Amino acid sequence: MQAKNRDVLHRRRQFTRLFYHHNHGSLILAMAATLLGAGLNLALSWLLQQTLDLAAGTGATWTLRQLVLFALGLLACCVVIDAMSAYARPKFLSRAIAQYREYAYAELLKKNLTSFTRENTSVYLSALSNDANSIETNYLQKMFEFWGDAVLFAGALAMMFWYSVPLALVALVLSALPLAVSMLLGPRLAKAETRVSAENAAYVAALKEGLSGFSVVKSFQAEREAFDLFAKNSRRVQTAKCRRLRIGSILGSVGSTAGAVAQLGVFLTGCWMALSGQGVTPGVMVIFVNLMGCANLFVSALPDFISNRTACNALIDKLAGALAVNLQTAGRAIPRRLEQGIAVEGLTFGYAPGQPVLHGVTARFAAGKSYAVVGASGSGKSTLLRLLMAGGSGYGGSIRYDGAELREVSTDSLYELVSLVEQNVFVFDSSIRDNITMFRVFPQEQVDRAVRLSGLQPLIEAKGESYQCGENGANLSGGERQRISIARSLLRQAPVLLVDEATAALDKETAFQVSGAILDLDGLTRVVVTHALDEALLRRYDGILVLKNGAVAECGRFDELMARKGYFYSLYTVSQ
């Protein structure tokens, strides 16, 4: 348990240090403005006491002229302090949260493909939006107010003891009342904040699914059901927020009431002492009430600050914990070339214990050649390709790239060797060139080569490289999006190209053109999962791997498989 707690604290520190990294100048200036503001409040309290005692003729030490000049000086200081705070505090907060989000996103990009695809991305969407805003508002912003109130409390206490020790002791005892009430309610605030984060993640997930499945909702006329689902999640998150706000309001109200009781008690005690001739002047009575108000700011803020900090730590721990799951592990680097090929021996794999998807698959993909992986739906084709891309380490058997076992290879090194073209191509809402280059800089001749080989030349000639693709490629056809995906892989010049049902959503003519473009890429090792059993294309492959129920049913060239009249022959005949 202690080791686990140390690990949690270590991960939390990695995140919280980002608030202050290269941000100390703004922090110091903002904190200085806060502390000087606290001192200014104490000076104003003293000025109030002197002014009242001067008017009452009961022991003021300064003249009216001196008090006026002092007041003008305080006013000038107030302007300077406000300017310092207005400059430094927003600068500190914006940099702190920006660095926090950037670090979290950088850590997210380190996760391996398998762990990320199995997770609910709404956790990260919520953590980097709503949770980050909560950390900024409820912790970082209140941090300045808390330390300002702490200095104000210490100064107020010192001044009260300087004016009257008996009355200061009464004030100190009465200050425990709002503190006790606040401490009782404070822990509930942390629990409510964590609940808000969880409900917000569920809400973001529902919203994301509703928008992604908009066409399905419309085609099934399920608008009412989709709305009910959205409304249910929306109400739940608002209920959680309402509870959090209610606890915060109760905490503030009870604290304020207890503070008012304490102030009234000090005022009445001071009045009794003044009537008893114990050296308490009207000015001293008023400054005590004022100083009690200053002290109560800290007393009321302390449990609220502790609760908010605890809640924000819980949010940070949740994000850090999610990011720590299945991070990429280091392995040995392999050359950025494939000389012999990929060897799969006795490959067995399942997503759940006792439910294998692949059973003892053995296959060889020679370097520089092209292979088709075919089979009925659910036969394990995409699972095999995912494992070749290091999509899971819990497999039996072996996967070797030029003799190097995949479990021992670093994922960064593997991604230098292998490119993946999937059925669902993601296209950024940017230009065609940005989507081909993935926002990196390449020589123009390399970009032109990738465009030419992928068949994108007609699109570029018609619309230009700067043409905006729209959200997820809304301004492009399915074939154009797939060709962009192929061009990306070619531009990386990775020796191995894995293609997973890239033409499944395309019409027959476009699918034939895209598949032909992939087969035209000489020099690459190509492993293509396909459902389209087109004779003209299948004859061009150097080998065809046929899967059935997660096992290899047959393998060979097209003519060999057709001559056997086995499982492939049946698949091909039915498809025609």
Side-chain angles (χ1 to χ4, degrees):
M1 180 62 72
Q2 290 181 349
K4 182 179 180 181
N5 291 336
R6 284 196 300 270
D7 186 50
V8 170
L9 288 174
H10 174 69
R11 290 200 303 262
R12 184 191 302 165
R13 289 193 193 101
Q14 288 180 309
F15 279 82
T16 54
R17 67 181 176 83
L18 272 299
F19 297 144
Y20 313 103
H21 185 63
H22 296 314
N23 209 11
H24 293 94
S26 299
L27 174 63
I28 292 171
L29 192 59
M31 193 63 73
T34 300
L35 300 183
L36 289 172
L40 187 66
N41 281 330
L42 294 174
L44 286 171
S45 297
W46 178 85
L47 178 64
L48 179 62
Q49 178 264 320
Q50 286 289 310
T51 303
L52 287 173
D53 281 348
L54 179 64
T58 54
T61 57
W62 282 28
T63 65
L64 179 60
R65 183 174 179 276
Q66 289 174 319
L67 292 177
V68 170
L69 292 175
F70 185 69
L72 292 174
L74 291 181
L75 181 62
C77 290
C78 183
V79 173
V80 173
I81 291 170
D82 286 345
M84 287 173 57
S85 181
Y87 168 78
R89 190 181 294 190
K91 186 177 180 181
F92 168 79
L93 293 172
S94 61
R95 189 183 186 98
I97 292 300
Q99 291 182 158
Y100 172 81
R101 284 175 169 156
E102 289 164 9
Y103 177 77
Y105 194 73
E107 290 299 300
L108 175 59
L109 293 176
K110 293 179 182 178
K111 293 179 74 72
N112 63 45
L113 192 59
T114 301
S115 62
F116 180 76
T117 53
R118 291 184 181 183
E119 291 178 327
N120 189 341
T121 56
S122 62
V123 171
Y124 300 111
L125 292 173
S126 177
L128 295 177
S129 55
N130 182 74
D131 292 357
N133 292 335
S134 180
I135 291 169
E136 179 181 2
T137 303
N138 296 326
Y139 174 55
L140 292 179
Q141 286 187 7
K142 290 188 176 182
M143 175 180 66
F144 295 102
E145 299 168 11
F146 172 77
W147 286 112
D149 291 340
V151 170
L152 200 58
F153 174 80
L157 205 59
M159 289 180 69
M160 284 190 285
F161 273 100
W162 184 68
Y163 277 108
S164 172
V165 173
L167 196 55
L169 291 173
V170 172
L172 197 59
V173 171
L174 291 175
S175 294
L177 179 62
L179 179 62
V181 172
S182 298
M183 291 298 288
L184 288 173
L185 292 175
R188 298 186 182 182
L189 195 64
K191 187 176 180 180
E193 186 67 60
T194 305
R195 184 65 181 173
V196 169
S197 175
E199 293 295 348
N200 190 73
Y203 165 75
V204 171
L207 178 60
K208 179 183 172 185
E209 289 177 350
L211 296 177
S212 299
F214 188 81
S215 58
V216 177
V217 171
K218 297 299 292 185
S219 63
F220 280 87
Q221 295 183 323
E223 291 90 345
R224 168 49 58 184
E225 290 74 13
F227 174 80
D228 290 343
L229 184 62
F230 171 82
K232 176 184 176 182
N233 284 279
S234 178
R235 285 192 296 268
R236 289 183 64 174
V237 73
Q238 290 307 129
T239 299
K241 286 183 178 180
C242 180
R243 177 175 173 77
R244 193 252 183 252
L245 290 172
R246 185 181 296 116
I247 293 174
S249 297
I250 293 173
L251 189 63
S253 298
V254 173
S256 298
T257 302
V261 170
Q263 280 184 301
L264 184 60
V266 169
F267 185 78
L268 293 175
T269 303
C271 182
W272 173 79
M273 292 177 69
L275 293 175
S276 302
Q278 298 186 34
V280 176
T281 65
V284 171
M285 287 178 55
V286 171
I287 194 174
F288 257 86
V289 173
N290 194 50
L291 291 174
M292 273 294 295
C294 294
N296 283 337
L297 287 176
F298 174 73
V299 171
S300 300
L302 178 61
D304 183 59
F305 179 76
I306 293 174
S307 299
N308 277 308
R309 183 177 180 180
T310 302
C312 290
N313 282 340
L315 298 180
I316 294 171
D317 291 344
K318 184 180 77 169
L319 174 60
L323 290 172
V325 175
N326 290 333
L327 286 175
Q328 291 181 167
T329 55
R332 68 187 183 93
I334 56 176
R336 197 176 184 274
R337 64 181 184 275
L338 193 69
E339 295 181 346
Q340 301 170 21
I342 307 169
V344 178
E345 295 282 352
L347 183 62
T348 301
F349 178 79
Y351 294 104
Q355 300 178 23
V357 177
L358 297 178
H359 311 268
V361 173
T362 296
R364 285 179 175 51
F365 306 106
K369 296 185 179 296
S370 60
Y371 297 88
V373 180
V374 303
S377 178
S379 60
K381 304 187 298 296
S382 295
T383 299
L384 172 61
L385 212 66
R386 192 174 295 116
L387 291 176
L388 294 179
M389 196 68 180
S393 59
Y395 57 83
S398 66
I399 302 173
R400 298 182 181 275
Y401 283 80
D402 278 352
E405 166 55 44
L406 188 57
R407 296 185 187 94
E408 302 170 359
V409 175
S410 71
T411 49
D412 285 342
S413 179
L414 178 68
Y415 294 157
E416 287 290 320
L417 181 69
V418 181
S419 283
L420 177 65
V421 178
E422 298 180 281
Q423 176 182 343
N424 297 319
V425 180
F426 184 81
V427 178
F428 292 91
D429 188 8
S430 189
S431 67
I432 293 176
R433 184 183 179 91
D434 285 342
N435 274 286
I436 294 173
T437 63
M438 291 297 289
F439 306 95
R440 288 177 288 182
V441 178
F442 287 90
Q444 185 61 44
E445 58 270 18
Q446 292 185 20
V447 177
D448 291 341
R449 175 182 176 276
V451 167
R452 184 179 68 257
L453 293 176
S454 63
L456 272 176
Q457 192 65 44
L459 175 64
I460 298 294
E461 291 175 351
K463 299 180 178 179
E465 288 185 344
S466 60
Y467 180 73
Q468 294 296 304
C469 299
E471 183 179 359
N472 200 17
N475 297 335
L476 302 174
S477 68
E480 290 167 343
R481 290 195 294 271
Q482 282 294 0
R483 291 180 188 278
I484 284 178
S485 180
I486 296 171
R488 285 175 185 167
S489 300
L490 293 174
L491 194 57
R492 290 188 61 231
Q493 297 182 344
V496 180
L497 182 64
L498 305 180
V499 184
D500 187 10
E501 298 279 15
T503 61
L506 306 180
D507 63 83
K508 188 173 182 179
E509 181 180 357
T510 304
F512 186 88
Q513 293 172 354
V514 171
S515 298
I518 293 172
L519 287 166
D520 288 338
L521 302 174
D522 292 331
L524 298 183
T525 305
R526 288 142 293 166
V527 181
V528 181
V529 169
T530 179
H531 70 289
L533 302 184
D534 186 286
E535 180 179 355
L537 293 173
L538 291 172
R539 285 183 177 277
R540 296 182 60 186
Y541 286 102
D542 295 297
I544 300 172
L545 183 69
V546 186
L547 296 182
K548 180 181 181 181
N549 298 326
V552 177
E554 295 176 286
C555 61
R557 295 185 67 99
F558 178 77
D559 289 337
E560 297 171 354
L561 296 175
M562 291 297 290
R564 293 175 191 167
K565 294 185 183 289
Y567 182 61
F568 176 79
Y569 179 84
S570 301
L571 283 177
Y572 178 78
T573 303
V574 170
S575 70
Q576 304 305 308

